[in-house]
């Protein structure tokens, strides 16, 4: 994942002062806050992004770490992502559920005091720092995971049992962060808990090395009845000793005998879809490549790549006298020196 540029996200210079950063954040937060953009997921994404940027840049220590390049971006709710990174422990819900004033609960985000900002931001909106949709449905955060699977599983598709820390609504306080007038003990006021329930995820057939697979609704659970977030799985595929994959095509090298090369043959070619009978035409040269259309990687959407096989001519290791004389007479069959047409000069 590309490192997020928090300065760019907030639209400030790299040497912006604390006050500038706060000002920029305030302006953007007012524009993109979910309460004024009901149901617009784009605004919500943007809001999360600017809040994440602000959480890091407003904290002197985290900002320093970030400036040193210690950040790969901190996806929300992905506690497995980067413990110790400057964004670690940053919790979106901290200022979604509880940032409104008067609860006596501070946002636990290190330096960023979102409660302050938001009571400010919305002081005109509902009076007394209100205007914060305390029980507005919120989509769960996106969660990322990385898996390494076998070549065969990538070709055929597979199901995995993944145990990933995800956030879900605190069952004690239903995501409110408080029970009556007390801070909820289960979630310590955040409104969410981290669950490590494992879940089954399905990777489609044909998934490629380095591909990111989005699994809808497999991320963190929604808050206050909101929809679950997505799970983004980055897939690594182990190489295969025989089949080499390039895109959706498969490449192999097939040894054939001298006789097969000269006289032609029908041989069996192993493909990822099983063995295929294929013809070697008479007079096949070493290095010649043939294609079996549609015998490559099949994708879930119905397309399929091709299978290519490159011929290698295998020479017998030891010849008896008969073999030697056969080869000698074979030599006389060349119409010309095979190297006579080389353009071997600079
Ligand atoms: Zn709770």
């Amino acid at each position: 994942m590309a490192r997020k540029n928090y300065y760019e996200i907030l639209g400030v210079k790299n040497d912006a002062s604390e006050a500038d950063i706060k000002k920029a954040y305030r302006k953007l937060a007012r524009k993109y806050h979910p309460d004024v953009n009901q149901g617009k997921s784009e605004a919500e994404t943007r809001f999360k992004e600017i809040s994440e940027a602000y959480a890091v840049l407003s904290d002197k220590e985290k900002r320093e770490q970030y400036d040193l390049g210690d950040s790969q971006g901190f996806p929300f709710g992905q506690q497995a992502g980067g413990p110790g990174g400057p964004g670690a422990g940053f919790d979106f819900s901290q200022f979604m559920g509880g940032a409104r004033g008067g609860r006596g609960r501070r946002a636990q985000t290190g330096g960023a005091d979102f409660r302050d900002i938001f009571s400010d931001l919305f002081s005109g909106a509902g009076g007394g720092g209100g205007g914060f949709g305390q029980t507005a449905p919120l989509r769960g955060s996106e969660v990322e995971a990385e898996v390494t699977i076998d070549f065969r599983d990538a070709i055929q598709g597979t199901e995995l049992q993944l145990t990933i820390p995800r956030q879900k609504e605190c069952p004690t306080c239903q995501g409110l962060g408080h029970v009556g007038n007390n801070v909820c003990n289960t979630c310590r006021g955040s409104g969410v808990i981290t669950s490590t329930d494992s879940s089954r995820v399905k990777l489609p057939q044909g998934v490629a090395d380095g591909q990111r697979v989005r699994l809808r609704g497999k991320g963190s659970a929604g808050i206050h009845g909101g929809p679950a977030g997505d799970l983004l799985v980055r897939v690594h595929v182990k190489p295969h000793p025989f089949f080499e994959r390039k895109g959706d095509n498969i490449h192999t090298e097939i040894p054939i005998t001298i006789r097969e090369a000269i006289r032609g043959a029908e041989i069996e070619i192993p493909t990822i879809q099983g063995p295929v009978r294929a013809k070697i035409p008479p007079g096949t040269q070493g290095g010649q490549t043939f294609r079996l259309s549609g015998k490559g990687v099949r994708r879930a959407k119905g397309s399929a790549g091709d299978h290519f096989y490159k011929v290698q001519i295998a020479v017998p290791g030891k010849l008896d006298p008969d073999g030697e004389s056969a080869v000698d007479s074979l030599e006389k069959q060349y119409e010309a020196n095979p190297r006579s047409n080389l353009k071997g000069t600079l």
Side-chain angles (χ1 to χ4, degrees), residues 118-321:
F118 285 122
S119 57
D120 243 45
L121 263 185
F122 293 98
S123 54
F132 228 90
Q134 171 169 349
T135 53
L138 272 181
R139 177 183 291 276
S141 58
E142 191 168 285
V143 175
E144 296 191 23
E146 247 176 278
V147 296
T148 300
I149 59 174
D150 286 335
F151 189 87
R152 178 196 166 95
D153 288 339
I155 298 300
Q156 299 183 337
T158 185
E159 270 187 38
L160 299 169
Q161 194 78 30
L162 288 185
T163 305
I164 315 156
R166 281 174 254 239
Q167 293 191 327
K168 66 178 187 191
E169 189 173 273
C170 172
T172 309
C173 63
Q174 276 81 45
L176 294 176
H178 57 91
V179 180
N181 281 327
N182 301 315
V183 171
C184 173
N185 278 331
T186 309
C187 61
R188 275 181 256 106
S190 70
V192 291
I193 57 166
T194 301
S195 90
T196 47
D197 303 343
S198 76
S199 69
R200 256 185 125 56
V201 300
K202 215 173 163 177
L203 298 179
Q205 65 172 348
V207 67
D209 186 44
Q211 193 181 330
R212 298 212 298 177
V213 178
R214 179 175 291 276
L215 298 154
R216 302 241 171 251
K218 295 279 190 176
S220 284
I223 308 292
H224 306 315
D230 295 342
L231 172 63
L232 217 50
V233 181
R234 180 181 278 278
V235 179
H236 300 283
V237 181
K238 291 183 201 158
H240 190 275
F242 178 67
F243 296 116
E244 189 193 354
R245 180 169 175 179
K246 289 180 186 164
D248 285 346
N249 296 330
I250 297 290
H251 294 256
T252 56
E253 291 196 351
I254 303 289
I256 60 173
T257 67
I258 295 175
R259 186 180 194 280
E260 286 168 341
I262 294 172
R263 303 288 293 269
E266 192 180 293
I267 61 170
E268 196 165 84
I269 308 288
T271 80
I272 56 168
Q273 297 181 25
V276 170
R277 301 289 299 178
K279 284 206 164 74
I280 301 291
T284 292
Q285 302 286 351
Q288 225 171 303
T289 300
F290 299 92
R291 181 166 70 136
L292 295 168
S293 181
K295 296 294 180 189
V297 181
R298 283 190 181 126
R299 290 287 193 158
K301 58 184 188 309
S303 66
D306 300 331
H307 180 107
F308 292 88
Y309 58 100
K310 186 177 177 179
V311 161
Q312 288 174 327
I313 295 170
V315 171
K318 227 177 180 178
L319 294 178
D320 61 17

